[in-house]
Amino acid sequence: MVVYDNYMRILFVTSEVAGLYKLGGLGDVSRSLPVALRRLRVDVRVVMPYYKKIQLSSVRCVGRIAVDFDGKRELVFVFVSVIPETSVPVYLLRHPKLDEYHEGEIVEKFAFFSSSVARVIEYAPDTFGGRPDIVHCHDWHTALVPLLLGERNKLRREKETLESIRTKTIITIHNLLYQGTAPITLAKKLHLPKSIFHILQTKKGQTIKLFREGIEHADIISTVSPTYAKEMLTGDYGQHINDALSRRKADVLGILNGINGEIWDPVHDKFLSVRYGKNDVVSGKAANKEYLQKTLVLPITKIPLIGFVGRLEVRQKGIDILIAALEHLLPDGVQVIILGTGPKKVKQTLAAFETKYPEHFKFVPTFDERLARRIYAGADMLVVPSKFEPCGLTQMIAMRYGTIPVVRKTGGLADSVVDGKTGFVFEDYNETALLAKLKEAVTLWTSEPKKWSHMALRCMRQDFSWTVSAKKYKKVYQRLLINT
Ligand code: GLC
C-alpha cells in the first residue's frame, strides 16, 4: 500500500478526464499526471462535472452542497469513484446545469462548476476527502477557483490568513486561445461585486475573462512546456493576455507534458497489424506501412509516407501552411495521410486533393483512434506544423513509435524535437520553410536509409514518461507549501 506524504494534498480541478469524458490533450493530462504523482506519494484527487454521458460501474454519493447562483439556491450532489483503470479518486459534481458539456452558456456553466468546487472546499472539505493544501486548476474552465477561494475569504472579512493561505492555488495553461469570455453580468450571478473583476470594454459591452482572473489570483501559473512559458509572455503568442502574464512573470513556469507509456507502446498496441519494438523497428514499421496503404487503398510502393493526426484547426495547427506546402509536395512522389476533423472549408480543400492525387493522398475526416495508432506506426514521418503549440502530444507519440517528426520550432515541439537528431525542425511560420524541411526529410529517407533508422531508434530511446514531469510538479508543490 502506498503511504502518501500527509503534508501535501492536491485537488485537480478540470473539465475533462480521459476514460470518463475526453475532448483533447487536457483529458489525457488530467488522467495521466495524477497517476504519475500518486506513484511519487502525492495524494492527488480530481474533481470534474458529472456529465450525463459519463458511465461508471461503481460510483456513490458522498454529500451535497448548496450553491447560490443567479439569485437561486442550487443543490449540487457530490459523487465519488476512481478514474477507470487507475486508483485515482475522482469527485463528480451533479447538477442539471452540468449535464451536458456543450449545451447552453458554456462560460456560465463552468463558472457555476468552479463556484460549486470552491464552496465544497470552504464549507465541506471532508466531502473531498479532506481540505486540499493545493488546488490545481486547468485551463479557463476552472480559472475562477483561485479568485473564489481568495476573495470570498476577504469578503467574509476573515483574516487574510487562515483559509486563503492554507489553500494554495495553481493554474495550468493548456491553451490560451480559449479564455472563457463572459458579460460582466456573470459577476452578479456569482453574487460577487463587479469591482473585484478585471473588466474589459468591448463592442459588446463590459466583459470579463475567466482565464485572466485565474492569472491574477493563482499563486503559480504554469504551462505545459518551458518554451511556451516564454512565448506566452510576448505579443505574438500571448493572445492579448500577455501583459497580465508578464506582470506575474516571477510566478510563471513551464513543465513539459509526458505521454502515457503504457497506452502508447508499439510493443503492446493491439491495433497494429504487427507489433514491434526497438529491435525490429525497421521490419515492424514496414509491415505496418503496407497494411496502412492497403486499408486506405493507396498503392503499395516504397515511397515516403507522411502522416498528420489532429484537429484541423487553422488558428493553431498550421493547416493553412500545410495545405500550401502539399500543393508542391504531392506531385513529387510522396504519400500523405491526414486524419482529423475541422471546418468545412478545410475539409473541402483536402477532399479536392484526394480527387486530384488519388495515388498520393488520403483524407479521413473523423477522429478514429484505431487509425491514428496505425498512422503512428505505419507512417515514416509525422508532420506537426503548428503556429503555436503549448505542448503537443502527437510528436512524442510518433517518436515512441519510431516515426520521425517534422515540426515547427514552437512551444512543446521545440522542447521535444531536436533538428537533425530526433527529427526535423523549421522556424519561420510559412509554407516555404515547411516545404524545405519536408524535402530535407524526404531526401534523407530516400538516400540514407541507415541514417534514417538510426534517427528512428534515437527517437524511440527517449524518455517522455510522465514520471519526469510529475517529479517537477512535486517540486513546485513543495516549494509552494514551504513558502506559506
Ligand atoms: C492543449 C494544447 C496542446 C497540449 C494539450 C495538453 O490541447 O493545445 O499543445 O499538448 O493542451 O496540455
Side-chain angles (χ1 to χ4, degrees):
M1 211 182 103
V2 188
V3 180
Y4 294 102
D5 295 341
N6 61 9
Y7 63 93
M8 199 194 275
R9 265 200 305 243
I10 316 291
L11 183 68
F12 263 47
V13 192
T14 182
S15 56
E16 53 179 290
V17 176
L20 293 166
Y21 190 90
K22 173 182 152 177
L23 292 170
L26 171 58
D28 293 318
V29 178
S30 309
R31 178 189 189 277
S32 300
L33 181 53
V35 171
L37 280 165
R38 284 177 82 88
R39 285 200 187 120
L40 301 177
R41 297 192 318 275
V42 182
D43 179 351
V44 190
R45 290 143 195 258
V46 180
V47 57
M48 69 179 292
Y50 200 165
Y51 307 119
K52 275 234 164 101
K53 288 208 178 88
I54 293 180
Q55 292 190 343
L56 281 163
S57 48
S58 165
V59 61
R60 72 195 157 85
C61 184
V62 284
R64 53 185 193 167
I65 189 110
V67 181
D68 290 330
F69 192 80
D70 200 7
K72 293 192 203 91
R73 180 148 289 189
E74 306 284 353
L75 209 51
V76 178
F77 288 86
V78 184
F79 289 78
V80 70
S81 185
V82 286
I83 299 176
E85 288 160 44
T86 77
S87 60
V88 183
V90 58
Y91 298 95
L92 300 132
L93 302 196
R94 173 137 275 174
H95 184 277
K97 284 187 197 295
L98 305 174
D99 278 352
E100 302 282 339
Y101 185 110
H102 286 292
E103 218 175 71
E105 203 8 270
I106 187 163
V107 181
E108 194 176 309
K109 178 190 317 283
F110 284 104
F112 175 73
F113 170 65
S114 301
S115 199
S116 310
V117 171
R119 186 95 188 153
V120 177
I121 295 170
E122 285 176 302
Y123 294 98
D126 288 344
T127 319
F128 285 164
R131 185 182 296 282
D133 300 294
I134 297 174
V135 176
H136 190 155
C137 306
H138 295 268
D139 266 355
W140 71 263
H141 311 77
T142 60
L144 211 52
V145 175
L147 176 147
L148 293 170
L149 289 177
E151 288 297 326
R152 282 210 187 130
N153 285 336
K154 282 194 220 153
L155 291 177
R156 286 204 310 268
R157 291 175 202 280
E158 282 178 9
K159 275 208 283 155
E160 223 325 94
T161 55
L162 298 171
E163 304 303 292
S164 58
I165 282 190
R166 252 208 282 164
T167 310
K168 295 281 183 180
T169 52
I170 300 185
I171 175 99
T172 294
I173 296 171
H174 296 263
N175 201 336
L176 263 191
L177 193 56
Y178 312 100
Q179 302 184 353
T181 306
I184 184 63
T185 44
L186 185 61
K188 198 166 164 218
K189 292 186 178 172
L190 289 160
H191 301 257
L192 290 170
K194 275 190 196 176
S195 57
I196 61 171
F197 289 92
H198 298 81
I199 301 173
L200 289 164
Q201 302 291 344
T202 68
K203 274 190 225 135
K204 289 188 193 153
Q206 294 189 320
T207 59
I208 52 173
K209 289 176 171 181
L210 302 196
F211 230 153
R212 170 73 188 272
E213 303 307 335
I215 288 164
E216 299 286 352
H217 288 267
D219 293 297
I220 296 279
I221 301 149
S222 83
T223 187
V224 288
S225 71
T227 295
Y228 193 66
K230 289 190 208 127
E231 287 174 339
M232 69 183 185
L233 305 182
T234 66
D236 281 349
Y237 291 89
Q239 310 285 353
H240 309 291
I241 219 164
N242 46 299
D243 284 345
L245 282 166
S246 296
R247 259 187 287 110
R248 298 228 41 211
K249 202 169 155 187
D251 303 311
V252 171
L253 55 94
I255 297 176
L256 193 69
N257 283 340
I259 53 171
N260 186 327
E262 281 148 37
I263 293 178
W264 302 108
D265 183 2
V267 181
H268 296 114
D269 194 325
K270 61 178 191 292
F271 291 121
L272 307 192
S273 60
V274 172
R275 286 179 270 281
Y276 60 92
K278 294 183 196 88
N279 297 333
D280 53 358
V281 53
V282 175
S283 59
K285 284 191 66 67
N288 278 286
K289 180 173 176 178
E290 207 179 304
Y291 183 77
L292 189 61
Q293 288 167 322
K294 205 159 79 197
T295 45
L296 291 180
V297 209
L298 281 168
I300 301 174
T301 50
K302 288 201 163 50
I303 55 173
L305 177 57
I306 305 170
F308 174 97
V309 176
R311 277 181 294 128
L312 307 171
E313 153 59 76
V314 183
R315 284 180 296 173
Q316 177 179 358
K317 297 290 180 185
I319 298 305
D320 48 350
I321 61 169
L322 182 61
I323 286 173
L326 284 180
E327 291 267 16
H328 299 281
L329 196 68
L330 283 174
D332 245 15
V334 298
Q335 288 177 336
V336 177
I337 300 171
I338 292 190
L339 171 67
T341 55
K344 202 168 160 199
K345 214 171 142 224
V346 173
K347 287 199 280 191
Q348 279 167 348
T349 312
L350 293 176
F353 273 152
E354 208 177 74
T355 319
K356 194 163 165 196
Y357 304 104
E359 306 212 324
H360 295 274
F361 187 72
K362 275 288 158 208
F363 170 45
V364 187
T366 53
F367 183 74
D368 176 346
E369 184 173 329
R370 197 172 53 162
L371 183 56
R373 286 173 179 275
R374 290 177 178 168
I375 294 173
Y376 293 132
D380 298 298
M381 306 158 207
L382 190 90
V383 60
V384 194
S386 305
K387 193 170 199 170
F388 71 93
E389 195 62 77
C391 179
L393 298 174
T394 57
Q395 81 280 11
M396 293 193 258
I397 300 170
M399 287 190 271
R400 191 151 161 85
Y401 281 66
T403 302
I404 295 180
V406 181
V407 304
R408 173 146 183 273
K409 192 171 184 176
T410 182
L413 302 173
D415 292 336
S416 57
V417 184
V418 182
D419 189 41
K421 293 255 184 280
T422 54
F424 295 85
V425 184
F426 67 99
E427 273 198 63
D428 295 339
Y429 185 75
N430 58 50
E431 72 254 32
T432 322
L434 167 61
L435 189 63
K437 264 300 154 188
L438 282 170
K439 284 193 170 162
E440 197 182 312
V442 166
T443 307
L444 189 76
W445 185 92
T446 320
S447 55
E448 311 245 23
K450 269 234 162 75
K451 272 197 184 162
W452 187 268
S453 46
H454 280 149
M455 203 187 244
L457 267 179
R458 220 176 284 134
C459 287
M460 291 177 93
R461 285 202 192 105
Q462 295 176 100
D463 181 7
F464 287 120
S465 70
W466 271 107
T467 316
V468 180
S469 327
K471 282 185 183 154
K472 293 186 178 154
Y473 277 103
K474 185 172 181 181
K475 281 216 174 95
V476 173
Y477 296 154
Q478 279 166 333
R479 220 174 58 212
L480 197 53
L481 292 175
I482 286 165
N483 288 340
T484 299

